[in-house]
Amino acid sequence: MDMGYTQSFWEEVPREVPGYYEIIKNPITLKEIQRKCEKSVYKCEAMFLRDIHLLNKNCRIYNEGRNPQMIPASDYIVTEVKSFLKNSKPTLKAINQVLEATKSGSMRKKFSATLKKLDIQTTLPFWDDPSETDFPNYHKIIKTSITLDLITEKIHSLQYTSESQFLSDIQLIRDSCYRYFNSITIPSVITKGPEYFKIVDYIAETCFGDFGFQVPPVPNKTSLSHISILSKPSLDINLSENKNEEKISKSSKSPKNVEPSSTSEKTSSKHPSNQNNNNKEEEEKKQQQQQQ
């Protein structure tokens, strides 16, 4: 509800206004209604609406014939309150929300103006719910999803009472996109990820920036590294095989650990000089036998 349009109904009418308190026996303001709500004076929705209608009635009685331009603003309050309660459960919490929405001023216009800054053609995929054909298992992976079209409906039904609520849904669109593409394992779907990341980043940056906030980081953000793994499995296998071959070749070239004694025996038996010495000894033995 536009506070600029309803500002006069928040504060008490000044005592200087001619004849107001003589004509209006039960004056009430939006500030007083909010205070009664905070103190749990209203036990049901009907009690709350009774004061809203009293506000409107007082305005009509005093301003008709004096300040007729005030009456549409009063009617506007009633329309906005009923619209809000129609789309919300009739609880005290909902009543307090509508008062906050009233107090928030031109929030609804601001939210609508922010969405209008988005290029429709660029953001088109995020206005409607993702189809199962184009995005298999989307709703199995994303349990709580939202679209720009649903956000627009929530704006018009006054379901946003603060900037944080609106921006929280914008962030949900972005985070859901990242979560889906980082969870799905179908190559043809995964390849769409980078393009959609650019779109949701654009949506988040536009909306958060319009309210002067920085965009929060994406939780558990990854770079879709599993795309290369899925598209090039043979490359990874070949690389691993080559590494194994290198290990084998290196191990065959490395010296074996052997005992020193066995090595010396093998060396002594195969060395040429040792063989000559053995031959000489045999010849000397034969000569001695002949002399005997």
Side-chain angles (χ1 to χ4, degrees):
M1 192 177 296
D2 193 337
M3 193 171 183
Y5 195 40
T6 62
Q7 181 69 50
S8 301
F9 298 94
W10 276 93
E11 304 296 334
E12 290 182 356
V13 175
R15 293 286 172 182
E16 295 78 20
V17 175
Y20 183 84
Y21 289 96
E22 284 77 19
I23 298 171
I24 305 302
K25 302 303 180 182
N26 296 307
I28 195 168
T29 66
L30 287 174
K31 184 178 285 186
E32 184 180 347
I33 292 174
Q34 185 177 42
R35 191 182 302 116
K36 289 170 73 173
C37 183
E38 290 171 349
K39 292 182 178 181
S40 300
V41 174
Y42 300 120
K43 303 303 180 184
C44 62
E45 181 184 350
M47 292 177 66
F48 167 71
L49 286 175
R50 187 161 57 242
D51 275 353
I52 292 293
H53 284 295
L54 176 60
L55 184 83
N56 180 252
K57 179 183 176 182
N58 291 344
C59 176
R60 284 182 167 276
I61 291 174
Y62 183 80
N63 290 298
E64 207 161 26
R66 293 183 178 88
N67 302 298
Q69 72 276 8
M70 293 294 294
I71 295 175
S74 176
D75 292 340
Y76 172 74
I77 292 173
V78 176
T79 302
E80 292 290 89
V81 167
K82 286 185 174 180
S83 175
F84 183 89
L85 293 177
K86 184 180 179 180
N87 292 281
S88 302
K89 293 180 180 180
T91 62
L92 289 177
K93 183 178 180 181
I95 291 172
N96 198 35
Q97 282 182 332
V98 72
L99 290 174
E100 287 298 325
T102 305
K103 191 177 181 180
S104 66
S106 56
M107 277 297 175
R108 184 173 69 169
K109 291 183 179 179
K110 178 61 176 173
F111 297 148
S112 298
T114 298
L115 289 188
K116 286 180 181 179
K117 291 183 179 181
L118 298 174
D119 182 75
I120 297 295
Q121 195 63 34
T122 301
T123 60
L124 195 59
F126 294 93
W127 281 89
D128 296 319
D129 209 32
S131 68
E132 184 65 23
T133 304
D134 296 331
F135 302 98
N137 300 322
Y138 182 84
H139 291 289
K140 290 182 179 179
I141 297 171
I142 307 302
K143 303 300 182 183
T144 304
S145 62
I146 195 166
T147 64
L148 289 173
D149 189 53
L150 182 56
I151 288 176
T152 303
E153 289 181 13
K154 291 176 73 173
I155 290 173
H156 291 306
S157 60
L158 297 178
Q159 293 186 47
Y160 296 122
T161 59
S162 66
E163 295 173 355
S164 60
Q165 290 177 347
F166 170 72
L167 294 177
S168 178
D169 276 351
I170 294 295
Q171 185 177 345
L172 179 60
I173 289 180
R174 186 204 60 177
D175 292 353
S176 297
C177 176
Y178 273 93
R179 190 180 303 115
Y180 174 74
F181 282 107
N182 286 320
S183 301
I184 200 71
T185 56
I186 303 172
S188 60
V189 178
I190 294 173
T191 52
K192 300 177 185 176
E195 177 188 352
Y196 278 76
F197 290 164
K198 289 180 181 179
I199 299 174
V200 290
D201 286 342
Y202 159 69
I203 293 172
E205 287 167 7
T206 300
C207 294
F208 274 82
D210 205 34
F211 287 90
F213 293 107
Q214 289 186 343
V215 182
V218 179
N220 302 321
K221 183 177 181 179
T222 65
S223 58
L224 291 181
S225 57
H226 54 306
I227 293 177
S228 59
I229 295 174
L230 288 170
S231 60
K232 299 179 180 179
S234 59
L235 178 62
D236 291 341
I237 293 171
N238 290 336
L239 287 173
S240 61
E241 287 177 353
N242 289 338
K243 288 179 180 178
N244 289 333
E245 288 176 2
E246 288 177 7
K247 288 181 180 179
I248 293 170
S249 61
K250 286 181 180 179
S251 62
S252 62
K253 292 179 182 180
S254 60
K256 295 181 180 180
N257 294 327
V258 292
E259 296 180 1
S261 59
S262 61
T263 305
S264 61
E265 288 176 2
K266 289 179 181 179
T267 304
S268 61
S269 62
K270 292 181 180 180
H271 198 281
S273 60
N274 290 338
Q275 289 181 351
N276 291 335
N277 290 335
N278 290 337
N279 291 336
K280 286 181 180 180
E281 288 178 359
E282 288 178 1
E283 288 178 0
E284 287 178 356
K285 284 181 180 179
K286 287 181 181 180
Q287 287 178 2
Q288 288 177 359
Q289 287 177 356
Q290 288 176 358
Q291 290 176 359
Q292 290 176 356

